[in-house]
DNA sequence: CGAATTTATTGATCGAGAGCAAAGACCTAA
DNA sequence: TTAGGTCTTTGCTCTCGATCAATAAATTCG
């Protein structure tokens, strides 16, 4: 479906000249380019809050660089990270007027910020844009559905293996075996529905079974993708 | 957001006369009515497969009556129910050409079946329809995100309480305290990421703490909604 | 209607992952 | 460079929910 969205975006005629800062990065975020192009660039430092839970939902964002986590908190400290947004991902879609989760910068990041009202009013006259928005939303739904299966039915090893393969696939177009982890163990744990200790132990186990190597805590080498895929099932 | 979708639907001008069988039920499924109206009625018996995993995705469905489960299987027997679709819910949205899960009738049910190609080609010229489709998709995303939090971070009691309140809310517009469970314990377990035994035990516990009553296995009386809401948090 | 079969409940035990604690690795700053 | 953080790993114990097993209730069918 990235292909479909990209095609739609490519076929659009753009009325206004592109802001230079965005145009130069256009190639790297095809599916969301039509949306990003309508926005302005904003930057956030590590751990900065982009928006909080239950705030007015006025903007949609597209990641230009860096990583963002989308999370929900439960009364007590418990936190669930719904998804990590990487370069080219869009977030902040809402039908209601208030946000249902918070968004925070995992690493330094640059985002394109687009006014929701502008986006949706343009989409009314521009069916290609409407379709692009639908595709982006749908991609999110797919991700959430896969995440659901992982949280409901997979073991710790399966969860970690799935996570690593997914991150590797999304981080780099080529199948590089060395993967950089932009997020902390706590972030990974809150994404996978585990504790930091279990994430750490599981990584050690996978290293023991030669599926991965851990040259440093934020760098993982996928040594045996098939072993991981077997766990991913 | 049902209000938004309903408003959009109400404002549409419909070119073709409505099939009588669908028109008579129109009032009960406002948000999805615009979609349902374009389809034909099909019926399924209990446990019948509506479509399987990885089949051509040619149709979108709207539930007219009965309940449908959307599920995914993991190599071995493990099953995750992504969602239960009740009257007025739409399912079968895909961007790819193949389905990513299966859909089965939980109870006898009647559905409106709509050709995807027709739906999307009409949406190109009809921005209100496009918006209605986006809203329906987005409602699914919301549901999946709440489900994610439940599976990742909630205890068995919290999961069951959340499920009961959600089902009660969706089953009936008025706050009826008696809720009929259309699905088996196995279905509930596979939705909540638990086992049938744990679901059963948890219901017994909730009965013990006077939060609910269980006159029969498929009928639940919500005796203390606040106690349940406290668990739902 | 009662026998057969499926579905739900309850009990007893087990184990994956949580929780707690301590040690080790890694940053950052002075 | 060292001192003071933070983040990660590892060990030990405990708990919640899974698993195995046996009834009990509900449904189906002859």
């Amino acid at each position: 479906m990235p292909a479909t969205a990209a095609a739609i975006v490519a076929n659009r005629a753009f009325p206004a000249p592109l802001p230079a800062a965005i145009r130069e990065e256009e190639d790297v975020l095809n599916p969301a380019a039509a949306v990003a192009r309508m926005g302005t660039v904003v930057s956030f430092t590590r751990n900065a809050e982009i928006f909080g839970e239950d705030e007015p939902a006025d903007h949609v964002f597209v990641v230009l660089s860096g990583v963002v986590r989308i999370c929900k908190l439960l009364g007590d400290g418990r936190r669930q990270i719904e998804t990590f947004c990487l370069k080219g991902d869009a977030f902040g879609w809402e039908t209601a007027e208030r946000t249902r989760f918070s968004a925070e910068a995992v690493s330094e990041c640059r985002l394109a910020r687009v006014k929701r009202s502008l986006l949706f009013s343009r989409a009314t006259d521009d069916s290609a844009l409407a379709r692009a928005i639908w595709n982006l939303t749908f991609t999110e739904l797919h991700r959430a559905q896969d995440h659901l299966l992982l949280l409901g039915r997979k073991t710790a090893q399966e969860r970690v293996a799935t996570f690593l393969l997914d991150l590797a696939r999304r981080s780099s177009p080529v199948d590089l075996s060395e993967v950089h982890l932009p997020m902390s163990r706590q972030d990974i744990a809150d994404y996978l529905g585990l504790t930091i200790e279990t994430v750490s132990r599981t990584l050690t186990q996978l290293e023991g079974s030669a599926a991965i190597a851990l040259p440093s805590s934020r760098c993982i080498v996928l040594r045996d993708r098939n072993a991981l895929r077997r766990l991913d099932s």
Side-chain angles (χ1 to χ4, degrees), chain A:
Chain A
M1 75 244 63
T4 313
I8 287 166
V9 164
N11 291 334
R12 280 194 71 219
F14 303 109
L18 314 181
I22 297 180
R23 199 187 317 124
E24 68 190 31
E25 293 177 281
E26 189 183 349
D27 49 334
V28 299
L29 36 76
N30 294 328
V35 175
R37 205 169 279 122
M38 294 170 55
T40 57
V41 177
V42 288
S43 291
F44 292 87
T45 57
R46 210 165 105 69
N47 290 323
E49 181 178 283
I50 298 161
F51 56 76
E53 267 183 76
D54 200 38
E55 289 183 359
D58 297 329
H59 297 96
V60 170
F61 298 84
V62 176
V63 179
L64 300 173
S65 71
V67 176
V68 173
R69 60 175 175 256
I70 305 298
C71 31
K72 271 197 160 187
L73 286 169
L74 218 44
D76 48 349
R78 286 177 288 175
R79 182 179 71 154
Q80 176 66 46
I81 294 184
E82 304 270 352
T83 190
F84 291 109
C85 293
L86 275 55
K87 182 154 69 181
D89 291 333
F91 64 92
W93 306 106
E94 291 292 336
T95 42
E97 322 76 51
R98 312 219 121 229
T99 56
R100 303 171 64 257
F101 24 66
S102 63
E104 296 158 6
V106 168
S107 60
E108 292 254 325
C109 62
R110 294 170 59 253
L111 312 172
R113 186 175 62 190
V114 187
K115 269 231 157 61
R116 287 175 49 72
S117 52
L118 175 68
L119 186 60
F120 285 103
S121 68
R122 279 220 198 151
T124 305
D125 307 319
D126 182 342
S127 71
L129 177 61
R131 182 72 187 240
I133 291 173
W134 187 75
N135 271 280
L136 287 168
T137 306
F138 207 85
T139 302
E140 275 312 296
L141 179 57
H142 275 195
R143 224 196 289 295
Q145 285 167 338
D146 289 339
H147 196 180
L148 225 49
L149 178 66
L150 178 149
L151 292 175
R153 288 298 177 215
K154 290 190 180 180
T155 64
Q157 282 219 0
E158 291 168 337
R159 293 183 197 201
V160 171
T162 304
F163 173 71
L164 293 178
L165 288 172
D166 186 49
L167 188 69
R169 190 179 44 75
R170 292 171 63 198
S171 302
S172 160
V174 292
D175 268 13
L176 220 53
S177 70
E178 195 172 301
V179 183
H180 173 72
L181 299 180
M183 68 291 287
S184 69
R185 294 290 187 272
Q186 187 63 64
D187 283 344
I188 298 174
D190 287 344
Y191 176 78
L192 296 178
L194 300 170
T195 58
I196 37 173
E197 293 95 329
T198 300
V199 170
S200 185
R201 269 186 267 267
T202 305
L203 287 170
T204 308
Q205 282 169 34
L206 291 175
E207 191 177 31
S209 61
I212 64 170
L214 288 152
S216 80
S217 74
R218 293 297 185 106
C219 175
I220 294 203
V221 179
L222 308 183
R223 297 182 60 197
D224 185 352
R225 274 186 139 84
N226 287 330
L228 293 175
R229 265 190 276 268
R230 239 169 288 132
L231 285 169
D232 189 6
S233 76

